[in-house]
Amino acid sequence: PGGRYIDFLIPGLLGMNLLGGGLFGVGFAVGDLRVRKLLKRFQATPMRRSDFMLSLMLSRLVFTLVDIALLVGFAYLAFGVKVRGNPVVFAALVGVGGASFAGLGLLLGSRARTMDTIAGLVNAVMLPMYVLSGVFFSSARFPEWMQPFVQLLPLTALNDALRAVMNDGAGWEALPYPLLVLGLWGTISFALALRIFRWR
């Protein structure tokens, strides 16, 4: 336990779920509202763009946390995979990761006018991270010259931190770099989305 492939895989699947929830759940939601011409109706209300965008991110995060709880529960019951570290640390990592990816999804959906456009943007962002960020195999297996880029990806930081907490029992001391990477991606994405977002 802790050293099996399933122990390596489950944290990667958790990270992948958080990434997909943020990009598809938020990005597609914004795109769908724009395509159905519902966004421009909000323009006539006193609601600020920032309130609307934060509400989308937080609502998606709630559903994503439910998904994560189900996956962790199944992994424990079926394979004996458990969180060996502090559950509060694990929950904080999942929350920050989910918020970061929701911000990225919001950025992708801020200007997209068709569902085809948002689908293309989401897949263009997700596919490289699925391959490079250590979901199914270690990101350390990529060449040395690629490592600086790989380590800057938010999914890499999240997956490495999840594995440290779940398998190695790491605590808060393992989180400064992952939280910095995720925080920067989420904050910058949200700030850019807020700047370029349009109701129409």
Side-chain angles (χ1 to χ4, degrees):
R4 304 166 298 173
Y5 178 66
I6 191 66
D7 296 307
F8 178 88
L9 179 62
I10 293 298
L13 293 181
L14 293 176
M16 188 174 74
N17 190 291
L18 287 167
L19 175 65
L23 298 192
F24 279 107
V26 177
F28 267 81
V30 175
D32 181 59
L33 289 171
R34 183 173 286 112
V35 168
R36 290 191 292 151
K37 302 187 185 305
L38 297 176
L39 274 184
K40 65 180 182 180
R41 297 184 183 182
F42 291 132
Q43 193 172 16
T45 71
M47 179 174 57
R48 296 176 299 180
R49 289 184 301 167
S50 58
D51 295 338
F52 169 74
M53 295 160 75
L54 282 172
S55 69
L56 274 179
M57 291 174 62
L58 293 175
S59 63
R60 183 59 233 178
L61 186 58
V62 170
F63 289 108
T64 301
L65 293 178
V66 173
D67 294 341
I68 293 297
L70 291 173
L71 182 55
V72 170
F74 173 77
Y76 175 74
L77 293 174
F79 304 109
V81 176
K82 59 183 179 180
V83 179
R84 299 175 184 278
N86 188 330
V88 177
V89 175
F90 176 78
L93 191 57
V94 168
V96 173
S100 178
F101 294 136
L104 191 54
L106 198 58
L107 176 60
L108 296 180
S110 291
R111 282 290 186 92
R113 296 185 178 182
T114 67
M115 295 305 290
D116 289 337
T117 301
I118 188 63
L121 291 172
V122 166
N123 284 311
V125 171
M126 289 180 67
L127 184 59
M129 283 199 269
Y130 280 175
V131 175
L132 298 173
S133 293
V135 174
F136 303 104
F137 55 88
S138 175
S139 58
R141 296 190 176 273
F142 286 99
E144 192 67 30
W145 61 269
M146 292 181 64
Q147 288 303 317
F149 171 73
V150 170
Q151 296 305 316
L152 286 176
L153 295 174
L155 186 58
T156 304
L158 180 62
N159 286 344
D160 289 347
L162 285 172
R163 289 190 177 105
V165 173
M166 292 184 68
N167 297 331
D168 302 329
W172 294 107
E173 72 281 355
L175 297 192
Y177 178 75
L179 290 182
L180 175 64
V181 172
L182 292 169
L184 285 175
W185 275 93
T187 302
I188 293 172
S189 295
F190 183 80
L192 289 174
L194 186 60
R195 184 175 182 83
I196 69 173
F197 179 84
R198 295 292 181 271
W199 292 113
R200 296 178 180 272

PDB file of all heavy atoms in Angstrom, residues 128-151:
ATOM      1  N   PRO A 128      -2.427  18.533 -23.550  1.00  0.00           N
ATOM      2  CA  PRO A 128      -1.016  18.559 -23.130  1.00  0.00           C
ATOM      3  C   PRO A 128      -0.826  18.248 -21.651  1.00  0.00           C
ATOM      4  O   PRO A 128       0.136  17.561 -21.269  1.00  0.00           O
ATOM      5  CB  PRO A 128      -0.574  19.994 -23.461  1.00  0.00           C
ATOM      6  CG  PRO A 128      -1.524  20.457 -24.503  1.00  0.00           C
ATOM      7  CD  PRO A 128      -2.827  19.798 -24.174  1.00  0.00           C
ATOM      8  N   MET A 129      -1.736  18.725 -20.805  1.00  0.00           N
ATOM      9  CA  MET A 129      -1.584  18.448 -19.380  1.00  0.00           C
ATOM     10  C   MET A 129      -1.873  16.990 -19.046  1.00  0.00           C
ATOM     11  O   MET A 129      -1.251  16.419 -18.147  1.00  0.00           O
ATOM     12  CB  MET A 129      -2.468  19.405 -18.565  1.00  0.00           C
ATOM     13  CG  MET A 129      -1.882  20.794 -18.466  1.00  0.00           C
ATOM     14  SD  MET A 129      -2.554  21.784 -17.119  1.00  0.00           S
ATOM     15  CE  MET A 129      -3.905  22.579 -17.950  1.00  0.00           C
ATOM     16  N   TYR A 130      -2.823  16.366 -19.757  1.00  0.00           N
ATOM     17  CA  TYR A 130      -3.055  14.945 -19.549  1.00  0.00           C
ATOM     18  C   TYR A 130      -1.792  14.140 -19.832  1.00  0.00           C
ATOM     19  O   TYR A 130      -1.482  13.170 -19.134  1.00  0.00           O
ATOM     20  CB  TYR A 130      -4.171  14.457 -20.471  1.00  0.00           C
ATOM     21  CG  TYR A 130      -5.572  14.756 -19.992  1.00  0.00           C
ATOM     22  CD1 TYR A 130      -6.666  14.455 -20.804  1.00  0.00           C
ATOM     23  CD2 TYR A 130      -5.813  15.330 -18.764  1.00  0.00           C
ATOM     24  CE1 TYR A 130      -7.958  14.728 -20.385  1.00  0.00           C
ATOM     25  CE2 TYR A 130      -7.097  15.600 -18.335  1.00  0.00           C
ATOM     26  CZ  TYR A 130      -8.172  15.300 -19.147  1.00  0.00           C
ATOM     27  OH  TYR A 130      -9.446  15.564 -18.730  1.00  0.00           O
ATOM     28  N   VAL A 131      -1.068  14.540 -20.863  1.00  0.00           N
ATOM     29  CA  VAL A 131       0.120  13.795 -21.272  1.00  0.00           C
ATOM     30  C   VAL A 131       1.333  14.141 -20.413  1.00  0.00           C
ATOM     31  O   VAL A 131       2.078  13.257 -19.984  1.00  0.00           O
ATOM     32  CB  VAL A 131       0.438  14.078 -22.766  1.00  0.00           C
ATOM     33  CG1 VAL A 131       1.745  13.406 -23.174  1.00  0.00           C
ATOM     34  CG2 VAL A 131      -0.703  13.607 -23.654  1.00  0.00           C
ATOM     35  N   LEU A 132       1.531  15.433 -20.132  1.00  0.00           N
ATOM     36  CA  LEU A 132       2.773  15.892 -19.513  1.00  0.00           C
ATOM     37  C   LEU A 132       2.758  15.920 -17.996  1.00  0.00           C
ATOM     38  O   LEU A 132       3.820  15.919 -17.374  1.00  0.00           O
ATOM     39  CB  LEU A 132       3.117  17.304 -20.024  1.00  0.00           C
ATOM     40  CG  LEU A 132       3.362  17.452 -21.521  1.00  0.00           C
ATOM     41  CD1 LEU A 132       3.522  18.927 -21.881  1.00  0.00           C
ATOM     42  CD2 LEU A 132       4.586  16.663 -21.956  1.00  0.00           C
ATOM     43  N   SER A 133       1.575  15.974 -17.389  1.00  0.00           N
ATOM     44  CA  SER A 133       1.499  16.296 -15.958  1.00  0.00           C
ATOM     45  C   SER A 133       1.455  15.102 -15.025  1.00  0.00           C
ATOM     46  O   SER A 133       1.093  15.236 -13.859  1.00  0.00           O
ATOM     47  CB  SER A 133       0.279  17.201 -15.708  1.00  0.00           C
ATOM     48  OG  SER A 133       0.461  18.449 -16.317  1.00  0.00           O
ATOM     49  N   GLY A 134       1.790  13.931 -15.510  1.00  0.00           N
ATOM     50  CA  GLY A 134       1.898  12.791 -14.617  1.00  0.00           C
ATOM     51  C   GLY A 134       0.592  12.219 -14.143  1.00  0.00           C
ATOM     52  O   GLY A 134       0.468  11.850 -12.976  1.00  0.00           O
ATOM     53  N   VAL A 135      -0.385  12.137 -15.040  1.00  0.00           N
ATOM     54  CA  VAL A 135      -1.658  11.515 -14.666  1.00  0.00           C
ATOM     55  C   VAL A 135      -1.514  10.000 -14.649  1.00  0.00           C
ATOM     56  O   VAL A 135      -1.839   9.343 -13.646  1.00  0.00           O
ATOM     57  CB  VAL A 135      -2.783  11.931 -15.642  1.00  0.00           C
ATOM     58  CG1 VAL A 135      -4.067  11.165 -15.322  1.00  0.00           C
ATOM     59  CG2 VAL A 135      -3.026  13.427 -15.559  1.00  0.00           C
ATOM     60  N   PHE A 136      -0.998   9.431 -15.731  1.00  0.00           N
ATOM     61  CA  PHE A 136      -0.912   7.975 -15.868  1.00  0.00           C
ATOM     62  C   PHE A 136       0.499   7.433 -15.679  1.00  0.00           C
ATOM     63  O   PHE A 136       0.687   6.252 -15.432  1.00  0.00           O
ATOM     64  CB  PHE A 136      -1.436   7.555 -17.242  1.00  0.00           C
ATOM     65  CG  PHE A 136      -2.842   8.002 -17.499  1.00  0.00           C
ATOM     66  CD1 PHE A 136      -3.105   9.069 -18.337  1.00  0.00           C
ATOM     67  CD2 PHE A 136      -3.908   7.365 -16.888  1.00  0.00           C
ATOM     68  CE1 PHE A 136      -4.411   9.492 -18.570  1.00  0.00           C
ATOM     69  CE2 PHE A 136      -5.210   7.782 -17.107  1.00  0.00           C
ATOM     70  CZ  PHE A 136      -5.463   8.855 -17.953  1.00  0.00           C
ATOM     71  N   PHE A 137       1.506   8.281 -15.831  1.00  0.00           N
ATOM     72  CA  PHE A 137       2.890   7.897 -15.586  1.00  0.00           C
ATOM     73  C   PHE A 137       3.633   9.139 -15.113  1.00  0.00           C
ATOM     74  O   PHE A 137       3.181  10.262 -15.307  1.00  0.00           O
ATOM     75  CB  PHE A 137       3.542   7.307 -16.836  1.00  0.00           C
ATOM     76  CG  PHE A 137       3.459   8.199 -18.047  1.00  0.00           C
ATOM     77  CD1 PHE A 137       4.432   9.159 -18.298  1.00  0.00           C
ATOM     78  CD2 PHE A 137       2.394   8.077 -18.932  1.00  0.00           C
ATOM     79  CE1 PHE A 137       4.346   9.989 -19.405  1.00  0.00           C
ATOM     80  CE2 PHE A 137       2.306   8.904 -20.049  1.00  0.00           C
ATOM     81  CZ  PHE A 137       3.300   9.859 -20.278  1.00  0.00           C
ATOM     82  N   SER A 138       4.777   8.919 -14.494  1.00  0.00           N
ATOM     83  CA  SER A 138       5.488  10.025 -13.853  1.00  0.00           C
ATOM     84  C   SER A 138       5.959  11.074 -14.861  1.00  0.00           C
ATOM     85  O   SER A 138       6.518  10.736 -15.919  1.00  0.00           O
ATOM     86  CB  SER A 138       6.692   9.484 -13.083  1.00  0.00           C
ATOM     87  OG  SER A 138       7.453  10.547 -12.555  1.00  0.00           O
ATOM     88  N   SER A 139       5.748  12.332 -14.518  1.00  0.00           N
ATOM     89  CA  SER A 139       6.235  13.420 -15.370  1.00  0.00           C
ATOM     90  C   SER A 139       7.753  13.490 -15.372  1.00  0.00           C
ATOM     91  O   SER A 139       8.353  14.117 -16.247  1.00  0.00           O
ATOM     92  CB  SER A 139       5.653  14.756 -14.887  1.00  0.00           C
ATOM     93  OG  SER A 139       6.010  15.000 -13.533  1.00  0.00           O
ATOM     94  N   ALA A 140       8.413  12.843 -14.412  1.00  0.00           N
ATOM     95  CA  ALA A 140       9.876  12.833 -14.351  1.00  0.00           C
ATOM     96  C   ALA A 140      10.485  12.047 -15.499  1.00  0.00           C
ATOM     97  O   ALA A 140      11.697  12.151 -15.747  1.00  0.00           O
ATOM     98  CB  ALA A 140      10.335  12.247 -13.017  1.00  0.00           C
ATOM     99  N   ARG A 141       9.681  11.272 -16.223  1.00  0.00           N
ATOM    100  CA  ARG A 141      10.197  10.473 -17.333  1.00  0.00           C
ATOM    101  C   ARG A 141      10.424  11.288 -18.600  1.00  0.00           C
ATOM    102  O   ARG A 141      11.013  10.796 -19.554  1.00  0.00           O
ATOM    103  CB  ARG A 141       9.257   9.305 -17.633  1.00  0.00           C
ATOM    104  CG  ARG A 141       9.174   8.320 -16.481  1.00  0.00           C
ATOM    105  CD  ARG A 141       8.440   7.056 -16.866  1.00  0.00           C
ATOM    106  NE  ARG A 141       8.465   6.097 -15.786  1.00  0.00           N
ATOM    107  CZ  ARG A 141       9.426   5.224 -15.572  1.00  0.00           C
ATOM    108  NH1 ARG A 141      10.492   5.218 -16.360  1.00  0.00           N
ATOM    109  NH2 ARG A 141       9.366   4.361 -14.581  1.00  0.00           N
ATOM    110  N   PHE A 142       9.947  12.520 -18.619  1.00  0.00           N
ATOM    111  CA  PHE A 142      10.205  13.359 -19.781  1.00  0.00           C
ATOM    112  C   PHE A 142      11.642  13.879 -19.729  1.00  0.00           C
ATOM    113  O   PHE A 142      12.248  13.946 -18.666  1.00  0.00           O
ATOM    114  CB  PHE A 142       9.203  14.516 -19.823  1.00  0.00           C
ATOM    115  CG  PHE A 142       7.834  14.094 -20.241  1.00  0.00           C
ATOM    116  CD1 PHE A 142       6.846  13.871 -19.295  1.00  0.00           C
ATOM    117  CD2 PHE A 142       7.534  13.887 -21.582  1.00  0.00           C
ATOM    118  CE1 PHE A 142       5.584  13.454 -19.669  1.00  0.00           C
ATOM    119  CE2 PHE A 142       6.273  13.476 -21.966  1.00  0.00           C
ATOM    120  CZ  PHE A 142       5.298  13.255 -21.016  1.00  0.00           C
ATOM    121  N   PRO A 143      12.205  14.252 -20.901  1.00  0.00           N
ATOM    122  CA  PRO A 143      13.598  14.708 -20.942  1.00  0.00           C
ATOM    123  C   PRO A 143      13.854  15.894 -20.017  1.00  0.00           C
ATOM    124  O   PRO A 143      12.949  16.659 -19.690  1.00  0.00           O
ATOM    125  CB  PRO A 143      13.787  15.110 -22.414  1.00  0.00           C
ATOM    126  CG  PRO A 143      12.745  14.354 -23.162  1.00  0.00           C
ATOM    127  CD  PRO A 143      11.583  14.216 -22.229  1.00  0.00           C
ATOM    128  N   GLU A 144      15.104  16.037 -19.642  1.00  0.00           N
ATOM    129  CA  GLU A 144      15.500  17.080 -18.704  1.00  0.00           C
ATOM    130  C   GLU A 144      15.161  18.475 -19.219  1.00  0.00           C
ATOM    131  O   GLU A 144      14.757  19.346 -18.447  1.00  0.00           O
ATOM    132  CB  GLU A 144      17.008  16.971 -18.429  1.00  0.00           C
ATOM    133  CG  GLU A 144      17.490  17.802 -17.258  1.00  0.00           C
ATOM    134  CD  GLU A 144      16.952  17.302 -15.924  1.00  0.00           C
ATOM    135  OE1 GLU A 144      16.709  16.087 -15.782  1.00  0.00           O
ATOM    136  OE2 GLU A 144      16.767  18.154 -15.031  1.00  0.00           O
ATOM    137  N   TRP A 145      15.311  18.682 -20.531  1.00  0.00           N
ATOM    138  CA  TRP A 145      15.072  20.021 -21.077  1.00  0.00           C
ATOM    139  C   TRP A 145      13.604  20.415 -21.025  1.00  0.00           C
ATOM    140  O   TRP A 145      13.266  21.595 -21.100  1.00  0.00           O
ATOM    141  CB  TRP A 145      15.589  20.129 -22.511  1.00  0.00           C
ATOM    142  CG  TRP A 145      14.932  19.185 -23.491  1.00  0.00           C
ATOM    143  CD1 TRP A 145      15.333  17.929 -23.822  1.00  0.00           C
ATOM    144  CD2 TRP A 145      13.748  19.435 -24.257  1.00  0.00           C
ATOM    145  NE1 TRP A 145      14.477  17.358 -24.742  1.00  0.00           N
ATOM    146  CE2 TRP A 145      13.493  18.278 -25.033  1.00  0.00           C
ATOM    147  CE3 TRP A 145      12.874  20.520 -24.368  1.00  0.00           C
ATOM    148  CZ2 TRP A 145      12.402  18.172 -25.902  1.00  0.00           C
ATOM    149  CZ3 TRP A 145      11.798  20.416 -25.232  1.00  0.00           C
ATOM    150  CH2 TRP A 145      11.572  19.260 -25.984  1.00  0.00           C
ATOM    151  N   MET A 146      12.709  19.427 -20.877  1.00  0.00           N
ATOM    152  CA  MET A 146      11.280  19.712 -20.781  1.00  0.00           C
ATOM    153  C   MET A 146      10.811  19.979 -19.359  1.00  0.00           C
ATOM    154  O   MET A 146       9.721  20.511 -19.149  1.00  0.00           O
ATOM    155  CB  MET A 146      10.462  18.541 -21.356  1.00  0.00           C
ATOM    156  CG  MET A 146      10.598  18.356 -22.851  1.00  0.00           C
ATOM    157  SD  MET A 146       9.577  16.978 -23.431  1.00  0.00           S
ATOM    158  CE  MET A 146       7.928  17.588 -23.066  1.00  0.00           C
ATOM    159  N   GLN A 147      11.626  19.607 -18.374  1.00  0.00           N
ATOM    160  CA  GLN A 147      11.173  19.645 -16.988  1.00  0.00           C
ATOM    161  C   GLN A 147      10.765  21.036 -16.483  1.00  0.00           C
ATOM    162  O   GLN A 147       9.759  21.154 -15.776  1.00  0.00           O
ATOM    163  CB  GLN A 147      12.238  19.036 -16.069  1.00  0.00           C
ATOM    164  CG  GLN A 147      12.362  17.525 -16.188  1.00  0.00           C
ATOM    165  CD  GLN A 147      11.054  16.802 -15.919  1.00  0.00           C
ATOM    166  OE1 GLN A 147      10.325  17.128 -14.984  1.00  0.00           O
ATOM    167  NE2 GLN A 147      10.747  15.815 -16.744  1.00  0.00           N
ATOM    168  N   PRO A 148      11.498  22.105 -16.822  1.00  0.00           N
ATOM    169  CA  PRO A 148      11.033  23.425 -16.349  1.00  0.00           C
ATOM    170  C   PRO A 148       9.617  23.756 -16.805  1.00  0.00           C
ATOM    171  O   PRO A 148       8.816  24.292 -16.023  1.00  0.00           O
ATOM    172  CB  PRO A 148      12.062  24.395 -16.954  1.00  0.00           C
ATOM    173  CG  PRO A 148      13.290  23.566 -17.103  1.00  0.00           C
ATOM    174  CD  PRO A 148      12.799  22.198 -17.489  1.00  0.00           C
ATOM    175  N   PHE A 149       9.294  23.412 -18.054  1.00  0.00           N
ATOM    176  CA  PHE A 149       7.940  23.659 -18.565  1.00  0.00           C
ATOM    177  C   PHE A 149       6.932  22.751 -17.884  1.00  0.00           C
ATOM    178  O   PHE A 149       5.856  23.189 -17.469  1.00  0.00           O
ATOM    179  CB  PHE A 149       7.910  23.450 -20.077  1.00  0.00           C
ATOM    180  CG  PHE A 149       6.530  23.462 -20.665  1.00  0.00           C
ATOM    181  CD1 PHE A 149       5.814  24.647 -20.789  1.00  0.00           C
ATOM    182  CD2 PHE A 149       5.930  22.283 -21.075  1.00  0.00           C
ATOM    183  CE1 PHE A 149       4.530  24.661 -21.312  1.00  0.00           C
ATOM    184  CE2 PHE A 149       4.642  22.283 -21.601  1.00  0.00           C
ATOM    185  CZ  PHE A 149       3.954  23.478 -21.716  1.00  0.00           C
ATOM    186  N   VAL A 150       7.281  21.468 -17.757  1.00  0.00           N
ATOM    187  CA  VAL A 150       6.370  20.494 -17.150  1.00  0.00           C
ATOM    188  C   VAL A 150       6.049  20.881 -15.705  1.00  0.00           C
ATOM    189  O   VAL A 150       4.903  20.790 -15.263  1.00  0.00           O
ATOM    190  CB  VAL A 150       6.981  19.078 -17.216  1.00  0.00           C
ATOM    191  CG1 VAL A 150       6.176  18.092 -16.375  1.00  0.00           C
ATOM    192  CG2 VAL A 150       7.060  18.596 -18.662  1.00  0.00           C
ATOM    193  N   GLN A 151       7.065  21.332 -14.963  1.00  0.00           N
ATOM    194  CA  GLN A 151       6.870  21.666 -13.550  1.00  0.00           C
ATOM    195  C   GLN A 151       6.064  22.945 -13.342  1.00  0.00           C
ATOM    196  O   GLN A 151       5.566  23.186 -12.245  1.00  0.00           O
ATOM    197  CB  GLN A 151       8.222  21.790 -12.845  1.00  0.00           C
ATOM    198  CG  GLN A 151       9.011  20.485 -12.808  1.00  0.00           C
ATOM    199  CD  GLN A 151       8.239  19.338 -12.183  1.00  0.00           C
ATOM    200  OE1 GLN A 151       7.595  19.512 -11.150  1.00  0.00           O
ATOM    201  NE2 GLN A 151       8.301  18.171 -12.797  1.00  0.00           N
TER     202      GLN A 151
END
